[in-house]
Amino acid sequence: LRKLCKQFRLIPAKIMLHPVTKAAAFISVFSGLIIILVTGNHRYNRIVENEFHIRVPAKDADLDSLKICFVADMHLNNYTSDQFIEDYTEHVLHINPDIILYGGDMVESGRISKQKLDETDKKLTALKPVYGKYMVGGNHDHFNYNGYNSHLDITFLSDTIVKVANAFYLMG
């Protein structure tokens, strides 16, 4: 700290080395870290919904509309609260989408046990959109658990093209 003050001449060393200044600096840094942690925790445990209406003028499909639920970066782990999973499930059931697309990082690899996966999967089985559930893996998704999500009817898209409802294609 002394070298920084000397090199950049921001605050005279005499003031910087005063015990009150040191205490104020410590409190400022500590308070900043607490604010970052609280804000991050709040954002992590909150569901964000954005609604977009897209018109497709020329179409050959028989679909008049399609309600899509796109979910990404859930980063489920052993510390994910059961309440968050229940809130998520209820939220999606309320939206009542025609299709659910998972854009990766559903789980936090290495930080979720088989037991927690099974508990989470039981809650997610309530989600049954008309055109199914599809997922692409993210950089945190490593499905090394035998049968992971096999009973959730999620179609994994990995170098795959799938035609849905004879109306559109999904690629992953």
Side-chain angles (χ1 to χ4, degrees):
L1 190 60
R2 193 178 296 177
K3 285 184 180 183
L4 282 175
C5 288
K6 197 174 196 179
Q7 185 172 355
F8 293 109
R9 297 176 196 244
L10 299 173
I11 301 171
K14 184 178 178 182
I15 294 172
M16 199 61 197
L17 296 175
H18 193 276
V20 173
T21 307
K22 285 182 178 182
F26 174 78
I27 290 169
S28 297
V29 170
F30 186 75
S31 299
L33 288 173
I34 295 298
I35 290 168
I36 289 169
L37 289 172
V38 168
T39 303
N41 188 48
H42 171 72
R43 291 179 132 193
Y44 175 76
N45 288 304
R46 194 170 65 97
I47 297 169
V48 178
E49 179 182 337
N50 294 307
E51 188 171 320
F52 301 95
H53 297 274
I54 303 168
R55 288 186 55 87
V56 181
K59 62 178 182 173
D60 293 330
D62 292 332
L63 292 175
D64 290 327
S65 67
L66 182 69
K67 192 181 281 190
I68 301 169
C69 177
F70 179 79
V71 182
D73 296 304
M74 288 181 76
H75 291 274
L76 302 174
N77 59 58
N78 288 334
Y79 304 105
T80 303
S81 71
D82 291 338
Q83 187 63 51
F84 176 80
I85 300 301
E86 289 169 18
D87 289 349
Y88 162 75
T89 304
E90 288 299 317
H91 196 84
V92 174
L93 285 171
H94 178 74
I95 293 170
N96 192 27
D98 298 316
I99 188 170
I100 299 175
L101 306 175
Y102 291 99
D105 290 344
M106 186 172 183
V107 298
E108 187 71 34
S109 179
R111 296 186 59 208
I112 188 164
S113 67
K114 175 95 168 85
Q115 179 183 352
K116 182 69 171 187
L117 277 175
D118 290 343
E119 291 169 7
T120 301
D121 289 353
K122 285 177 188 169
K123 292 175 182 153
L124 296 180
T125 55
L127 304 177
K128 300 180 187 304
V130 175
Y131 299 118
K133 298 177 269 189
Y134 298 86
M135 179 178 182
V136 294
N139 61 321
H140 292 268
D141 294 318
H142 299 286
F143 304 103
N144 53 357
Y145 298 110
N146 219 359
Y148 173 67
N149 281 335
S150 60
H151 58 281
L152 290 178
D153 295 324
I154 294 178
T155 302
F156 289 89
L157 301 175
S158 179
D159 297 326
T160 310
I161 299 174
V162 176
K163 190 170 189 178
V164 179
N166 207 28
F168 60 93
Y169 292 93
L170 293 175
M171 296 183 283

